[in-house]
Amino acid sequence: MVTDDEHLDRAFLALADPVRRAIVARLSRGPATVNELAEPFAISLQAVSKHIQVLEQAGLVTRTRDAQRRPVHLAPAALERLTAWIDGYRLAHEQSFRRLDAALRSSATPPATPSSPPSNHKEKES
């Protein structure tokens, strides 16, 4: 059984490669075949297939069969899990920054001091 941490590790390792990130970006617009996914790259179809296998093992994409076609689909639930994990840390840091901002604002405000009475000294006339 694969743990949540292992899923995260696999997904982030898969997304560490720029070709795989480009494939995910392309699939965000809709399913595509290996040939369609390979078009923008100067690499072999076999290399693109291996990239897709890594994404599939990470749970980020799935393949279906449509007659002779085997379109690759993005797995939105997997991306939502990654986003939720990232958002948890982002929200915690935002709260820390808000507290820091509030502390800095309160320390930047000069403390209220009672006004001093006007000076009784007259300037000397020359």
Side-chain angles (χ1 to χ4, degrees):
M1 186 160 139
V2 179
T3 67
D4 286 342
D5 283 346
E6 289 171 328
H7 279 291
L8 284 172
D9 291 346
R10 287 181 185 179
F12 283 119
L13 282 171
L15 293 173
D17 186 278
V19 171
R20 292 192 285 265
R21 286 194 308 272
I23 290 170
V24 167
R26 165 53 188 87
L27 291 173
S28 70
R29 297 190 311 265
T33 64
V34 173
N35 286 335
E36 292 167 337
L37 292 171
E39 285 174 8
F41 304 109
I43 58 177
S44 68
L45 285 176
Q46 183 180 6
V48 172
S49 286
K50 286 184 180 187
H51 282 296
I52 292 168
Q53 284 176 348
V54 171
L55 291 168
E56 196 170 19
Q57 290 167 354
L60 297 172
V61 300
T62 59
R63 293 187 205 200
T64 57
R65 186 171 294 281
D66 180 16
Q68 294 299 316
R69 294 185 47 178
R70 295 229 17 208
V72 181
H73 306 265
L74 196 56
L79 292 177
E80 287 173 16
R81 282 192 301 272
L82 292 176
T83 302
W85 182 83
I86 291 168
D87 278 348
Y89 288 99
R90 182 185 56 79
L91 292 172
H93 284 287
E94 280 182 14
Q95 288 173 340
S96 294
F97 286 130
R98 284 189 202 116
R99 287 192 301 270
L100 178 61
D101 284 344
L104 291 173
R105 275 194 302 274
S106 67
S107 69
T109 312
T113 58
S115 58
S116 55
S119 175
N120 289 340
H121 300 287
K122 290 185 180 179
E123 286 187 31
K124 291 183 180 182
E125 294 179 21
S126 325

Coordinates of all heavy atoms in Angstrom, one line a residue, residues 2-73:
V2 N 0.6 2.2 -0.8 CA 1.4 3.4 -1.0 C 0.8 4.5 0.0 O -0.4 4.7 0.0 CB 1.3 3.9 -2.4 CG1 2.1 5.2 -2.6 CG2 1.9 2.8 -3.4
T3 N 1.7 5.1 0.7 CA 1.3 6.1 1.7 C 1.1 7.5 1.0 O 1.5 7.7 -0.2 CB 2.3 6.3 2.8 OG1 3.5 6.9 2.2 CG2 2.6 5.0 3.5
D4 N 0.4 8.4 1.7 CA 0.3 9.7 1.1 C 1.6 10.4 0.8 O 1.8 11.1 -0.2 CB -0.5 10.6 2.1 CG -2.0 10.3 2.1 OD1 -2.5 9.6 1.1 OD2 -2.7 10.6 3.0
D5 N 2.6 10.2 1.7 CA 3.9 10.8 1.5 C 4.6 10.2 0.2 O 5.2 10.9 -0.5 CB 4.8 10.6 2.7 CG 4.5 11.5 3.8 OD1 3.8 12.5 3.6 OD2 5.0 11.2 5.0
E6 N 4.4 8.9 0.0 CA 4.9 8.3 -1.2 C 4.3 8.8 -2.5 O 4.9 9.0 -3.5 CB 4.8 6.8 -1.1 CG 5.8 6.2 -0.1 CD 5.5 4.7 0.2 OE1 4.3 4.2 0.0 OE2 6.5 4.0 0.4
H7 N 3.0 9.1 -2.4 CA 2.3 9.7 -3.5 C 2.8 11.1 -3.8 O 3.1 11.4 -5.0 CB 0.8 9.8 -3.3 CG 0.0 8.5 -3.5 ND1 -0.2 8.0 -4.7 CD2 -0.6 7.7 -2.6 CE1 -0.9 6.9 -4.6 NE2 -1.2 6.7 -3.4
L8 N 3.0 11.8 -2.8 CA 3.6 13.2 -2.9 C 5.0 13.1 -3.5 O 5.3 13.9 -4.4 CB 3.6 13.9 -1.6 CG 2.3 14.5 -1.1 CD1 2.5 15.0 0.3 CD2 1.8 15.6 -2.0
D9 N 5.8 12.2 -3.0 CA 7.2 12.1 -3.5 C 7.2 11.7 -5.0 O 7.9 12.3 -5.8 CB 7.9 11.0 -2.7 CG 8.2 11.3 -1.3 OD1 8.1 12.5 -0.9 OD2 8.6 10.4 -0.5
R10 N 6.4 10.8 -5.4 CA 6.3 10.3 -6.8 C 5.8 11.5 -7.7 O 6.4 11.7 -8.7 CB 5.4 9.1 -6.9 CG 5.9 7.9 -6.4 CD 5.0 6.7 -6.6 NE 5.5 5.5 -6.0 CZ 4.8 4.4 -6.1 NH1 3.7 4.3 -6.6 NH2 5.4 3.3 -5.5
A11 N 4.8 12.2 -7.2 CA 4.3 13.3 -8.0 C 5.3 14.4 -8.2 O 5.5 14.9 -9.3 CB 3.0 13.8 -7.4
F12 N 5.9 14.8 -7.1 CA 6.9 15.9 -7.2 C 8.1 15.5 -8.0 O 8.7 16.3 -8.7 CB 7.3 16.5 -5.8 CG 6.2 17.4 -5.3 CD1 5.6 17.0 -4.1 CD2 5.8 18.5 -5.9 CE1 4.6 17.9 -3.5 CE2 4.8 19.3 -5.4 CZ 4.2 19.0 -4.2
L13 N 8.5 14.2 -7.8 CA 9.7 13.8 -8.6 C 9.3 13.8 -10.1 O 10.1 14.1 -11.0 CB 10.1 12.4 -8.2 CG 10.9 12.3 -6.9 CD1 11.1 10.8 -6.5 CD2 12.3 12.9 -7.2
A14 N 8.1 13.3 -10.4 CA 7.6 13.3 -11.8 C 7.6 14.8 -12.4 O 8.0 15.0 -13.5 CB 6.2 12.7 -11.9
L15 N 7.1 15.7 -11.6 CA 7.0 17.1 -12.0 C 8.3 17.8 -12.0 O 8.4 19.0 -12.5 CB 6.0 17.8 -11.2 CG 4.5 17.3 -11.3 CD1 3.6 18.0 -10.3 CD2 4.1 17.6 -12.8
A16 N 9.4 17.2 -11.5 CA 10.7 17.9 -11.5 C 11.3 18.0 -12.9 O 12.1 18.9 -13.1 CB 11.7 17.1 -10.6
D17 N 10.8 17.2 -13.8 CA 11.3 17.2 -15.2 C 10.5 18.2 -16.0 O 9.3 18.2 -16.1 CB 11.2 15.8 -15.8 CG 11.9 15.8 -17.1 OD1 11.2 16.1 -18.1 OD2 13.1 15.3 -17.2
P18 N 11.2 19.1 -16.8 CA 10.5 20.1 -17.6 C 9.7 19.5 -18.7 O 8.6 20.1 -19.0 CB 11.6 21.0 -18.1 CG 12.9 20.3 -17.9 CD 12.7 19.3 -16.8
V19 N 10.1 18.4 -19.3 CA 9.3 17.8 -20.3 C 8.0 17.3 -19.7 O 6.9 17.5 -20.3 CB 10.1 16.6 -21.0 CG1 9.1 15.8 -21.9 CG2 11.3 17.2 -21.8
R20 N 8.0 16.7 -18.6 CA 6.8 16.1 -17.9 C 5.9 17.3 -17.5 O 4.7 17.2 -17.6 CB 7.2 15.2 -16.8 CG 7.8 13.9 -17.3 CD 7.9 12.9 -16.2 NE 9.0 13.1 -15.2 CZ 10.2 12.6 -15.3 NH1 10.5 11.8 -16.3 NH2 11.1 12.8 -14.3
R21 N 6.5 18.4 -17.0 CA 5.6 19.6 -16.7 C 5.0 20.1 -17.9 O 3.8 20.5 -17.9 CB 6.5 20.6 -16.0 CG 6.9 20.3 -14.6 CD 7.4 21.5 -13.8 NE 8.5 22.2 -14.5 CZ 9.8 21.9 -14.4 NH1 10.2 20.9 -13.6 NH2 10.7 22.6 -15.0
A22 N 5.7 20.1 -19.1 CA 5.1 20.6 -20.3 C 4.0 19.6 -20.8 O 2.9 20.1 -21.3 CB 6.1 20.7 -21.4
I23 N 4.1 18.3 -20.6 CA 3.1 17.4 -20.9 C 1.9 17.6 -20.0 O 0.7 17.6 -20.5 CB 3.6 15.9 -20.8 CG1 4.6 15.6 -21.9 CG2 2.5 14.9 -20.8 CD1 5.4 14.3 -21.7
V24 N 2.1 17.8 -18.7 CA 0.9 18.1 -17.8 C 0.2 19.4 -18.3 O -1.0 19.5 -18.3 CB 1.4 18.2 -16.4 CG1 0.3 18.8 -15.5 CG2 1.8 16.8 -15.9
A25 N 1.0 20.4 -18.6 CA 0.4 21.7 -19.1 C -0.4 21.4 -20.3 O -1.5 22.0 -20.4 CB 1.5 22.7 -19.3
R26 N 0.1 20.7 -21.2 CA -0.7 20.4 -22.5 C -1.9 19.6 -22.1 O -3.0 19.9 -22.7 CB 0.2 19.6 -23.5 CG -0.5 18.9 -24.6 CD -1.4 19.9 -25.4 NE -2.2 19.2 -26.4 CZ -3.4 18.7 -26.2 NH1 -3.9 18.7 -25.0 NH2 -4.0 18.1 -27.1
L27 N -1.8 18.6 -21.3 CA -3.0 17.8 -20.9 C -4.1 18.6 -20.1 O -5.2 18.2 -20.1 CB -2.6 16.6 -20.1 CG -1.8 15.5 -20.9 CD1 -1.3 14.4 -20.0 CD2 -2.7 15.0 -22.1
S28 N -3.7 19.7 -19.6 CA -4.6 20.6 -18.8 C -5.7 21.2 -19.8 O -6.7 21.6 -19.4 CB -3.9 21.7 -18.1 OG -3.4 22.6 -18.9
R29 N -5.3 21.2 -21.1 CA -6.2 21.7 -22.1 C -7.1 20.5 -22.7 O -8.0 20.8 -23.5 CB -5.5 22.3 -23.3 CG -4.7 23.6 -22.8 CD -4.1 24.4 -23.9 NE -3.4 23.6 -24.9 CZ -2.0 23.4 -24.9 NH1 -1.3 23.9 -24.0 NH2 -1.5 22.7 -25.9
G30 N -6.8 19.3 -22.3 CA -7.6 18.2 -22.8 C -6.7 17.0 -23.1 O -5.5 17.1 -23.2
P31 N -7.4 15.8 -23.3 CA -6.6 14.6 -23.6 C -5.8 14.7 -24.9 O -6.2 15.5 -25.8 CB -7.7 13.5 -23.7 CG -9.0 14.1 -23.5 CD -8.8 15.6 -23.3
A32 N -4.8 13.9 -25.0 CA -4.0 13.9 -26.2 C -3.3 12.5 -26.4 O -3.1 11.8 -25.4 CB -2.9 15.0 -26.2
T33 N -2.9 12.2 -27.6 CA -2.2 10.9 -27.8 C -0.7 11.2 -27.6 O -0.3 12.3 -27.5 CB -2.4 10.5 -29.3 OG1 -1.9 11.4 -30.2 CG2 -3.9 10.2 -29.6
V34 N 0.0 10.1 -27.6 CA 1.5 10.2 -27.4 C 2.1 11.0 -28.6 O 2.9 11.9 -28.4 CB 2.2 8.8 -27.4 CG1 3.7 8.9 -27.4 CG2 1.7 8.1 -26.1
N35 N 1.6 10.8 -29.8 CA 2.1 11.5 -31.0 C 1.8 13.0 -30.8 O 2.7 13.8 -31.1 CB 1.4 11.0 -32.3 CG 2.0 9.7 -32.7 OD1 3.1 9.3 -32.4 ND2 1.2 9.0 -33.5
E36 N 0.6 13.4 -30.4 CA 0.3 14.8 -30.2 C 1.2 15.4 -29.1 O 1.6 16.5 -29.2 CB -1.2 14.9 -29.8 CG -2.1 14.6 -31.0 CD -3.6 14.4 -30.5 OE1 -3.8 14.2 -29.3 OE2 -4.4 14.5 -31.4
L37 N 1.4 14.6 -28.0 CA 2.2 15.1 -26.9 C 3.7 15.3 -27.3 O 4.4 16.1 -26.8 CB 2.1 14.2 -25.7 CG 0.7 14.2 -25.0 CD1 0.7 13.1 -24.0 CD2 0.4 15.5 -24.4
A38 N 4.1 14.5 -28.3 CA 5.5 14.5 -28.7 C 5.8 15.6 -29.6 O 7.0 16.0 -29.8 CB 5.9 13.1 -29.3
E39 N 4.8 16.2 -30.3 CA 5.1 17.2 -31.3 C 6.0 18.3 -30.9 O 6.9 18.6 -31.7 CB 3.7 17.8 -31.8 CG 2.9 16.8 -32.7 CD 1.6 17.4 -33.0 OE1 1.3 18.5 -32.7 OE2 0.8 16.6 -33.6
P40 N 5.9 19.0 -29.8 CA 6.7 20.1 -29.5 C 8.2 19.8 -29.1 O 9.0 20.6 -28.9 CB 6.0 20.8 -28.4 CG 5.2 19.8 -27.7 CD 4.8 18.8 -28.8
F41 N 8.4 18.5 -28.9 CA 9.7 18.1 -28.3 C 10.6 17.5 -29.4 O 10.2 16.8 -30.3 CB 9.6 17.1 -27.2 CG 8.7 17.6 -26.1 CD1 7.4 17.0 -25.9 CD2 9.1 18.6 -25.3 CE1 6.6 17.5 -24.9 CE2 8.3 19.1 -24.3 CZ 7.0 18.5 -24.1
A42 N 11.9 17.7 -29.3 CA 12.9 17.1 -30.2 C 13.4 15.8 -29.6 O 14.6 15.6 -29.5 CB 14.0 18.1 -30.5
I43 N 12.5 15.0 -29.1 CA 12.9 13.7 -28.6 C 12.0 12.6 -29.2 O 11.0 12.9 -29.8 CB 12.7 13.6 -27.0 CG1 11.3 14.0 -26.6 CG2 13.7 14.6 -26.4 CD1 11.1 13.9 -25.1
S44 N 12.4 11.4 -29.1 CA 11.7 10.3 -29.7 C 10.4 10.0 -29.1 O 10.1 10.4 -27.9 CB 12.6 9.0 -29.7 OG 12.6 8.5 -28.3
L45 N 9.5 9.3 -29.8 CA 8.2 8.9 -29.3 C 8.4 8.0 -28.1 O 7.7 8.0 -27.1 CB 7.4 8.1 -30.3 CG 6.7 9.0 -31.4 CD1 6.0 8.1 -32.4 CD2 5.7 10.0 -30.8
Q46 N 9.4 7.1 -28.1 CA 9.8 6.2 -27.0 C 10.1 7.0 -25.8 O 9.6 6.7 -24.7 CB 10.9 5.3 -27.4 CG 11.2 4.3 -26.3 CD 12.4 3.4 -26.7 OE1 13.0 3.6 -27.7 NE2 12.6 2.4 -25.9
A47 N 10.8 8.1 -25.9 CA 11.2 8.9 -24.8 C 9.9 9.6 -24.2 O 9.8 9.7 -22.9 CB 12.2 10.0 -25.2
V48 N 9.1 10.1 -25.0 CA 7.8 10.7 -24.6 C 7.0 9.6 -23.8 O 6.4 9.9 -22.8 CB 7.0 11.4 -25.7 CG1 5.7 11.8 -25.3 CG2 7.8 12.5 -26.3
S49 N 6.9 8.4 -24.4 CA 6.2 7.3 -23.7 C 6.7 7.1 -22.4 O 6.0 6.8 -21.4 CB 6.2 6.1 -24.6 OG 5.4 6.2 -25.7
K50 N 8.0 7.1 -22.2 CA 8.6 6.9 -20.9 C 8.3 8.0 -19.9 O 8.0 7.8 -18.7 CB 10.2 6.8 -21.0 CG 10.6 5.4 -21.6 CD 12.1 5.3 -21.6 CE 12.4 3.9 -22.2 NZ 13.9 3.6 -22.1
H51 N 8.2 9.2 -20.4 CA 7.8 10.4 -19.6 C 6.4 10.2 -19.1 O 6.0 10.4 -18.0 CB 8.0 11.7 -20.3 CG 9.4 12.2 -20.4 ND1 10.1 12.6 -19.2 CD2 10.2 12.4 -21.4 CE1 11.3 13.0 -19.6 NE2 11.4 12.9 -20.9
I52 N 5.5 9.7 -20.0 CA 4.1 9.5 -19.7 C 4.0 8.4 -18.7 O 3.2 8.4 -17.8 CB 3.3 9.2 -21.0 CG1 3.2 10.4 -21.9 CG2 1.9 8.7 -20.7 CD1 2.7 10.2 -23.3
Q53 N 4.8 7.3 -18.8 CA 4.8 6.2 -17.8 C 5.1 6.7 -16.4 O 4.5 6.3 -15.5 CB 5.8 5.1 -18.2 CG 5.3 4.3 -19.4 CD 6.4 3.2 -19.8 OE1 7.5 3.3 -19.4 NE2 5.9 2.3 -20.6
V54 N 6.1 7.6 -16.3 CA 6.5 8.2 -15.0 C 5.3 9.0 -14.5 O 5.0 8.8 -13.3 CB 7.8 9.1 -15.2 CG1 8.0 9.9 -13.9 CG2 9.0 8.3 -15.5
L55 N 4.7 9.8 -15.3 CA 3.5 10.5 -14.9 C 2.4 9.6 -14.5 O 1.7 9.9 -13.5 CB 3.0 11.5 -16.0 CG 4.0 12.7 -16.3 CD1 3.6 13.4 -17.6 CD2 4.0 13.6 -15.1
E56 N 2.2 8.5 -15.2 CA 1.1 7.6 -14.9 C 1.4 6.8 -13.6 O 0.6 6.7 -12.7 CB 1.1 6.5 -16.0 CG -0.2 5.7 -16.1 CD -0.3 4.9 -17.3 OE1 0.7 4.7 -18.1 OE2 -1.5 4.5 -17.6
Q57 N 2.7 6.5 -13.3 CA 3.1 5.8 -12.1 C 2.9 6.7 -10.9 O 2.6 6.3 -9.8 CB 4.5 5.3 -12.1 CG 4.7 4.1 -13.1 CD 6.1 3.8 -13.4 OE1 7.0 4.5 -13.0 NE2 6.3 2.7 -14.1
A58 N 3.1 8.0 -11.1 CA 2.9 9.0 -10.1 C 1.4 9.3 -9.9 O 1.0 10.1 -9.0 CB 3.6 10.3 -10.4
G59 N 0.5 8.8 -10.7 CA -0.9 9.0 -10.6 C -1.4 10.3 -11.2 O -2.5 10.7 -10.9
L60 N -0.5 11.0 -11.9 CA -0.9 12.3 -12.5 C -1.6 12.2 -13.8 O -2.3 13.2 -14.2 CB 0.4 13.2 -12.6 CG 1.1 13.5 -11.3 CD1 2.4 14.1 -11.6 CD2 0.2 14.3 -10.4
V61 N -1.5 11.1 -14.5 CA -2.2 10.9 -15.8 C -2.7 9.5 -15.8 O -2.3 8.6 -15.1 CB -1.3 11.2 -17.0 CG1 -0.8 12.6 -17.0 CG2 -0.2 10.2 -17.1
T62 N -3.7 9.3 -16.7 CA -4.3 8.0 -17.0 C -4.4 7.9 -18.5 O -4.3 8.8 -19.2 CB -5.7 7.8 -16.4 OG1 -6.5 8.9 -16.9 CG2 -5.7 8.0 -14.9
R63 N -4.5 6.6 -18.9 CA -4.7 6.3 -20.4 C -6.0 5.5 -20.5 O -6.3 4.7 -19.7 CB -3.5 5.5 -20.9 CG -2.2 6.2 -21.0 CD -1.2 5.3 -21.7 NE 0.1 5.6 -21.3 CZ 1.2 5.3 -22.0 NH1 1.1 4.7 -23.1 NH2 2.4 5.6 -21.5
T64 N -6.6 5.8 -21.6 CA -7.8 5.1 -21.9 C -7.7 4.5 -23.4 O -6.8 4.9 -24.1 CB -9.1 6.0 -21.9 OG1 -8.9 7.1 -22.8 CG2 -9.4 6.5 -20.5
R65 N -8.6 3.7 -23.7 CA -8.6 3.1 -25.1 C -9.8 3.6 -25.8 O -10.9 3.5 -25.3 CB -8.5 1.6 -25.1 CG -8.4 1.0 -26.4 CD -8.1 -0.5 -26.4 NE -6.8 -0.9 -25.8 CZ -5.7 -0.9 -26.4 NH1 -5.6 -0.4 -27.6 NH2 -4.6 -1.3 -25.7
D66 N -9.6 4.2 -27.0 CA -10.6 4.7 -27.8 C -10.4 4.1 -29.2 O -9.6 4.7 -30.0 CB -10.6 6.2 -27.8 CG -11.7 6.8 -28.7 OD1 -12.7 6.1 -29.0 OD2 -11.6 8.0 -29.0
A67 N -10.9 2.9 -29.5 CA -10.6 2.2 -30.7 C -9.1 2.0 -30.8 O -8.5 1.3 -30.0 CB -11.2 2.9 -31.9
Q68 N -8.4 2.5 -31.8 CA -7.0 2.4 -32.0 C -6.2 3.4 -31.2 O -5.0 3.3 -31.1 CB -6.6 2.5 -33.5 CG -7.2 1.3 -34.3 CD -6.6 0.0 -33.8 OE1 -5.4 -0.1 -33.6 NE2 -7.5 -1.0 -33.7
R69 N -6.9 4.4 -30.8 CA -6.2 5.5 -30.0 C -6.1 5.2 -28.5 O -6.9 4.5 -28.0 CB -7.1 6.8 -30.1 CG -7.1 7.4 -31.5 CD -7.8 8.7 -31.5 NE -7.3 9.4 -30.4 CZ -7.6 10.7 -30.1 NH1 -8.5 11.3 -30.8 NH2 -7.0 11.3 -29.1
R70 N -5.1 5.7 -27.9 CA -4.9 5.5 -26.5 C -4.6 6.9 -25.9 O -3.5 7.2 -25.6 CB -3.7 4.6 -26.2 CG -4.0 3.2 -26.7 CD -3.7 2.1 -25.7 NE -3.6 2.4 -24.3 CZ -2.9 1.8 -23.4 NH1 -2.2 0.8 -23.8 NH2 -2.9 2.2 -22.2
P71 N -5.6 7.7 -25.8 CA -5.4 9.1 -25.3 C -5.0 9.1 -23.8 O -5.3 8.2 -23.0 CB -6.8 9.7 -25.4 CG -7.8 8.7 -25.6 CD -7.0 7.4 -26.1
V72 N -4.1 10.1 -23.5 CA -3.6 10.3 -22.2 C -4.5 11.4 -21.6 O -4.7 12.4 -22.2 CB -2.1 10.7 -22.2 CG1 -1.6 10.9 -20.8 CG2 -1.3 9.6 -23.0
H73 N -4.9 11.2 -20.3 CA -5.7 12.2 -19.6 C -5.0 12.7 -18.4 O -4.4 11.9 -17.7 CB -7.1 11.6 -19.2 CG -7.8 11.0 -20.4 ND1 -8.8 11.7 -21.1 CD2 -7.8 9.7 -20.9 CE1 -9.3 10.9 -22.0 NE2 -8.7 9.7 -21.9

